[in-house]
Amino acid sequence: MGAMSTDQGPSLSAIVFDFDGLLMDTETTALLSWEYEWRQWGLTLDRSGFFADHGGSVAEERSAQLAAAVGAEFDRELSHRRRTRYREELHTRLDLRPGIGDWIEQAGARGLRLAVASSSETTWVIGHLERVGLLDRFTVIAGGEEVSGHKPDPSVYQLALRRLGIDAADAIAVEDTPHGVTAAHRAGLPCIAIPNPYVDPDRVGHAELVLGSATELDCGTALERACGQNP
């Protein structure tokens, strides 16, 4: 089956997905691992302000916050090893977010290519997709270490488009955060938002379509609505 066409212009040929919190709920494993590590020091993590309003790692800032709370006895290396080991154990049981596997199958049936544009490193994305047996479904992986700015900077989306060899008009993004939606728009892509459990849906209201879950609509209907067509 060929690429999906619209009445708006060139045919849609690719979907560019965010990774963390969108394809897989690594946001929850991050939160749980830090809460676990704070408990090891007899402390409780304050969840407020835990999630940043930009892409990229904030592990150093989180570690510094914990170090300040613990005081002189804090062992940064021990803490890092213990927390990452705990998170890796959580990841052994982590699968795609609900409905995402169906979207991947449905997009392939429509002849659409799939890409990832993530603020995380490419090795992180590749490792997770390999673990669930889906790496070969993605034509392009663009990672945060390959560009100079993290979302809402559009550079990782621009990199994904260059690797796909297409214009922004030929693709659509799928994101879970407000800064991700903004990055997609700045790169010229329309965007479907499926906010992760820690994002207020109102904050991604600037997306062309907002869903509570990928299970709400099949992929084709979601694409048609986001592109301004009737289902």
Side-chain angles (χ1 to χ4, degrees):
M1 186 178 294
M4 172 183 170
S5 62
T6 75
D7 297 330
Q8 310 298 317
S11 61
L12 184 69
S13 63
I15 306 176
V16 186
F17 291 92
D18 175 52
F19 181 75
D20 292 290
L22 187 280
L23 290 184
M24 304 183 83
D25 187 11
T26 53
E27 303 292 3
T28 291
T29 65
L31 176 60
L32 293 177
S33 71
W34 280 103
E35 287 184 327
Y36 169 82
E37 184 55 29
W38 277 67
R39 290 197 301 270
Q40 306 315 299
W41 302 97
L43 300 170
T44 301
L45 173 69
D46 180 2
R47 287 190 173 193
S48 62
F50 180 81
F51 294 102
D53 283 330
H54 59 81
S57 175
V58 291
E60 286 301 318
E61 292 90 331
R62 290 171 179 161
S63 183
Q65 181 185 17
L66 177 56
V70 172
E73 66 179 300
F74 184 68
D75 185 327
R76 187 179 295 269
E77 287 301 316
L78 167 66
S79 177
H80 175 73
R81 288 196 306 270
R82 185 167 56 195
R83 183 187 62 80
T84 54
R85 184 170 58 248
Y86 181 79
R87 193 179 185 196
E88 287 166 1
E89 291 172 359
L90 295 176
H91 286 159
T92 64
R93 302 183 295 275
L94 188 66
D95 206 341
L96 299 173
R97 285 188 68 192
I100 291 294
D102 291 336
W103 276 34
I104 290 172
E105 293 294 331
Q106 293 157 7
R110 286 174 168 263
L112 298 173
R113 289 187 293 163
L114 305 181
V116 171
S118 175
S119 291
S120 293
E121 294 187 358
T122 53
T123 54
W124 171 263
V125 176
I126 289 170
H128 281 291
L129 291 177
E130 282 183 331
R131 179 173 52 76
V132 295
L134 290 174
L135 181 60
D136 63 348
R137 301 297 184 92
F138 291 84
T139 304
V140 163
I141 306 291
E145 85 283 6
E146 302 183 281
V147 295
S148 58
H150 293 303
K151 299 173 186 177
D153 187 289
S155 54
V156 75
Y157 274 107
Q158 293 164 342
L159 175 60
L161 290 172
R162 288 196 300 272
R163 288 181 173 168
L164 287 164
I166 60 175
D167 295 326
D170 301 320
I172 188 167
V174 188
E175 275 283 354
D176 68 308
T177 62
H179 52 273
V181 175
T182 299
H185 283 171
R186 288 178 178 175
L189 285 80
C191 189
I192 297 170
I194 307 175
N196 71 58
Y198 310 100
V199 170
D200 184 336
D202 290 342
R203 297 187 63 215
V204 292
H206 52 311
E208 279 67 25
L209 176 67
V210 179
L211 300 174
S213 167
T215 61
E216 288 185 15
L217 296 175
D218 65 81
C219 182
T221 302
L223 295 175
E224 289 161 356
R225 291 190 182 181
C227 288
Q229 291 185 293
N230 292 322

